[in-house]
Amino acid sequence: MSRFPKNFLWGGATAANQCEGAYNVDGRGLANVDVVPVGEERLAIITGQRKMVDFEEGYFYPAKDSIDMYHHYKEDIALFAEMGFKTYRLSIAWTRIFPKGDEVEPNEKGLEFYEKLFKECHKYGIEPLVTITHFDCPMHLIEEYGGWRNRKMLVFYERLCRTLFARYKGLVRYWLTVNEINMILHAPFMGAGLYFEEGENQEQVKYQAAHHELVASAIATKIAHEIDPENKVGCMLAAGQYYPNTSHPRDYWAALQEDRENYFFIDVQARGTYPNYAKKKWERLGIDVKMTDEDLDLLRAYTVDFISFSYYSSRVASGDPEVQEKTEGNIFASLKNPYLESSEWGWQIDPLGLRITLNVIWDRYQKPMFIVENGLGAIDKPDETGHVADDYRIDYLRKHIAAMKDAILEDGVELLGYTTWGCIDLVSAGTGEMKKRYGFIYVDRDNEGRGSLKRFKKKSFDWYKQVIASNGEDLD
Ligand code: BG6
């Protein structure tokens, strides 16, 4: 009987700004993600349309304290270990290492924090999977240099990478260069520290910044391998295949165009060159991305070792301007698919879409893949003991794991591992809410920042433990 690969990396994922808190502790500097409040203006801020560069009166900023993992990491990692995690995906807060971003010397306290955390993981045989930047950019780099629109970011990012690779050699082997790199087009402040000035050509700015991120990612891959040939470097895409709304050819064409907007990034990171369709698009839109021959050489020479992605839902596109019924999704909305159910936040649930996405990415690149985010954001109602019977989450994960299993065992895609998103409840990136929970572990904290921060195991905790213990055989 065919089974999941023996060394399959089961685990869970978090991001620094959504769980660490301690935003001003031990020398940490201010980051873009700190100054994104909950509420109506959040979307305008993360998309760079409304400028917020510091805390303002009258707003609640959930990332300041979050679930305070900075002070709870031992307890949290022990719980991950109890579930049998083989890997734990986390991200580095850039501002713990370089508080302003352009210093020459790193902040020792920040380096120590992650060193202790990685050692704690290894104590339990958990392999850290580290995202170098997950919606995270020092505010100083944004105010002083304009974020990733500025080429100087290459120098600062390279310094960050060199520091991390040198210091954590032997402790970390799996690295992701930029979280959901395609988010730069949809949430540019969060993805690249960009906000826009009046009358600016926003597409031009976004693609220039994207070029800088892509070259930075290639440089990171190069030096990761130089410092430790054991290092494996991956790109990271907010994935989810587009379906045509009908069999009308113009709908298929629309879906292809939408897919290309996302795969554009991975085409460069996995294949090493800018695709012709992108060059043509830039020509049509009058976008002139400044790049050097050396940049192009770097992109060509240092493609990624593996392709990681988040998957929450498939998407739908139509070429008919009359068809407009949209649904919410991971930052960018898509047309509504009448065949699918939706989460409480309107994200549509499509396990087969995960199998389709895995197959498309495999066919396109033929590189090992890693699903580094998948999960259901839902409202949990703990009983008086703090226990949550989250059968809806188990149901979502079970179906997605089954689909992933089909992709591996029936279709033969190569997959390194699977980390569910928000393995412990944390702050939502899209809405800033705490009540949108993904975890196996309930954290007592509410949308307004109240609560004891105590951790409780949900029903899904034991279920996932059994999934891992059986290496994906027992999903009931
Ligand atoms: C991905 C991000 O976009 O989706 C995470 O990488 C994010 O940071 C996750 O939290 C789920 O989105 P949300 O908006 O429900 O937190």
Side-chain angles (χ1 to χ4, degrees):
M1 202 169 80
S2 44
R3 295 188 185 282
F4 267 96
K6 212 165 82 250
N7 300 325
F8 194 72
L9 291 166
W10 297 96
T14 62
N17 75 87
Q18 292 172 256
C19 68
E20 282 180 5
Y23 79 102
N24 57 359
V25 174
D26 290 337
R28 183 186 180 284
L30 193 68
N32 57 342
V33 275
D34 298 332
V35 297
V36 182
V38 180
E40 278 174 18
E41 287 174 72
R42 187 174 178 93
L43 190 64
I45 294 166
I46 65 181
T47 53
Q49 309 303 326
R50 148 88 159 94
K51 184 169 163 183
M52 192 175 274
V53 294
D54 208 339
F55 302 121
E56 292 181 15
E57 205 55 45
Y59 293 91
F60 175 62
Y61 297 92
K64 273 183 163 181
D65 304 309
S66 192
I67 59 159
D68 195 27
M69 203 194 250
Y70 192 76
H71 296 108
H72 289 73
Y73 73 92
K74 287 192 180 167
E75 176 189 350
D76 295 339
I77 291 171
L79 287 165
F80 300 158
E82 195 182 326
M83 276 186 278
F85 278 23
K86 311 282 181 219
T87 186
Y88 168 42
R89 173 180 176 231
L90 68 139
S91 78
I92 300 283
W94 190 336
T95 51
R96 288 202 194 284
I97 312 297
F98 291 100
K100 290 166 76 181
D102 59 358
E103 300 91 335
V104 174
E105 291 306 320
N107 171 30
E108 179 55 29
K109 286 265 179 214
L111 285 170
E112 259 171 37
F113 169 68
Y114 292 107
E115 183 174 334
K116 283 191 280 182
L117 193 151
F118 297 143
K119 287 186 171 156
E120 197 66 19
C121 288
H122 284 292
K123 195 167 115 187
Y124 300 103
I126 297 174
E127 184 76 49
L129 162 60
V130 177
T131 318
I132 297 166
T133 49
H134 189 129
F135 299 154
D136 185 41
C137 184
M139 242 2 267
H140 173 75
L141 295 185
I142 296 174
E143 290 197 275
E144 189 67 27
Y145 303 94
W148 280 96
R149 71 172 69 210
N150 192 326
R151 214 185 146 79
K152 291 200 178 116
M153 288 297 282
L154 293 177
V155 176
F156 307 136
Y157 183 84
E158 177 174 344
R159 197 173 295 150
L160 172 69
C161 290
R162 274 191 191 285
T163 307
L164 299 178
F165 299 152
R167 177 67 172 246
Y168 304 130
K169 185 172 174 180
L171 284 175
V172 179
R173 277 193 303 153
Y174 290 95
W175 302 91
L176 305 180
T177 51
V178 181
N179 181 62
E180 295 191 335
I181 190 162
N182 50 326
M183 270 308 170
I184 194 174
L185 301 178
H186 309 280
F189 182 66
M190 215 153 73
L194 301 176
Y195 51 74
F196 301 102
E197 304 302 338
E198 190 93 17
E200 192 165 40
N201 181 343
Q202 299 191 5
E203 292 300 300
Q204 165 75 38
V205 175
K206 287 194 273 187
Y207 277 107
Q208 185 65 60
H211 172 70
H212 294 148
E213 284 194 354
L214 289 165
V215 176
S217 173
I219 294 172
T221 309
K222 172 178 186 282
I223 57 183
H225 292 159
E226 283 168 4
I227 291 178
D228 187 352
E230 290 288 299
N231 276 330
K232 298 267 176 264
V233 183
C235 52
M236 188 338 186
L237 171 77
Q241 198 59 29
Y242 270 94
Y243 303 153
N245 194 40
T246 71
S247 54
H248 195 297
R250 74 180 166 202
D251 287 350
Y252 185 85
W253 184 244
L256 184 94
Q257 299 304 314
E258 296 281 5
D259 273 332
R260 279 180 165 174
E261 191 171 292
N262 293 317
Y263 287 129
F264 157 76
F265 295 88
I266 312 306
D267 284 353
V268 179
Q269 289 176 293
R271 293 171 168 161
T273 51
Y274 279 108
N276 286 349
Y277 65 79
K279 293 184 201 157
K280 287 288 174 190
K281 175 177 164 175
W282 292 344
E283 227 173 86
R284 274 197 306 279
L285 298 178
I287 292 173
D288 176 23
V289 179
K290 304 267 177 303
M291 50 183 89
T292 66
D293 289 343
E294 195 200 349
D295 291 350
L296 297 177
D297 290 345
L298 285 163
L299 292 176
R300 202 170 302 113
Y302 301 102
T303 54
V304 287
D305 301 313
F306 67 96
I307 293 161
S308 85
F309 64 87
S310 61
Y311 176 85
Y312 294 92
S313 187
S314 54
R315 300 165 179 140
V316 179
S318 169
D320 178 354
E322 299 291 303
V323 179
Q324 286 184 8
E325 204 199 339
K326 295 248 165 117
T327 182
E328 289 304 312
N330 190 3
I331 307 283
F332 42 118
S334 125
L335 291 179
K336 195 164 177 144
N337 187 331
Y339 301 102
L340 302 177
E341 288 179 3
S342 302
S343 78
E344 287 159 300
W345 272 264
W347 295 24
Q348 295 205 283
I349 300 172
D350 183 11
L352 182 55
L354 175 59
R355 182 175 178 180
I356 294 169
T357 302
L358 278 162
N359 274 279
V360 170
I361 296 180
W362 176 249
D363 288 351
R364 199 171 176 115
Y365 305 113
Q366 310 272 301
K367 293 214 183 210
M369 294 176 286
F370 208 135
I371 301 171
V372 294
E373 288 185 33
N374 175 234
L376 178 72
I379 296 175
D380 289 336
K381 296 201 178 71
D383 65 15
E384 56 294 343
T385 67
H387 186 260
V388 176
D390 54 345
D391 295 277
Y392 37 90
R393 183 167 295 110
I394 294 174
D395 185 58
Y396 177 101
L397 293 172
R398 177 189 290 129
K399 288 178 178 152
H400 283 78
I401 293 174
M404 159 174 100
K405 198 168 171 180
D406 287 341
I408 300 174
L409 303 183
E410 302 296 324
D411 311 328
V413 308
E414 197 179 327
L415 193 64
L416 300 170
Y418 173 78
T419 59
T420 66
W421 175 248
C423 45
I424 179 166
D425 292 347
L426 37 62
V427 173
S428 157
T431 68
E433 291 165 300
M434 196 57 223
K435 72 171 182 193
K436 190 180 187 192
R437 297 171 185 273
Y438 287 86
F440 304 114
I441 301 161
Y442 185 86
V443 180
D444 178 26
R445 184 174 165 87
D446 68 13
N447 270 1
E448 285 74 41
R450 292 172 305 220
S452 64
L453 290 175
K454 270 183 80 173
R455 277 68 167 148
F456 300 90
K457 297 173 198 171
K458 301 182 196 176
K459 187 173 178 183
S460 55
F461 184 100
D462 289 320
W463 173 80
Y464 197 46
K465 183 176 176 177
Q466 150 209 311
V467 171
I468 298 177
S470 65
N471 198 23
E473 291 306 308
D474 188 356
L475 301 180
D476 293 333

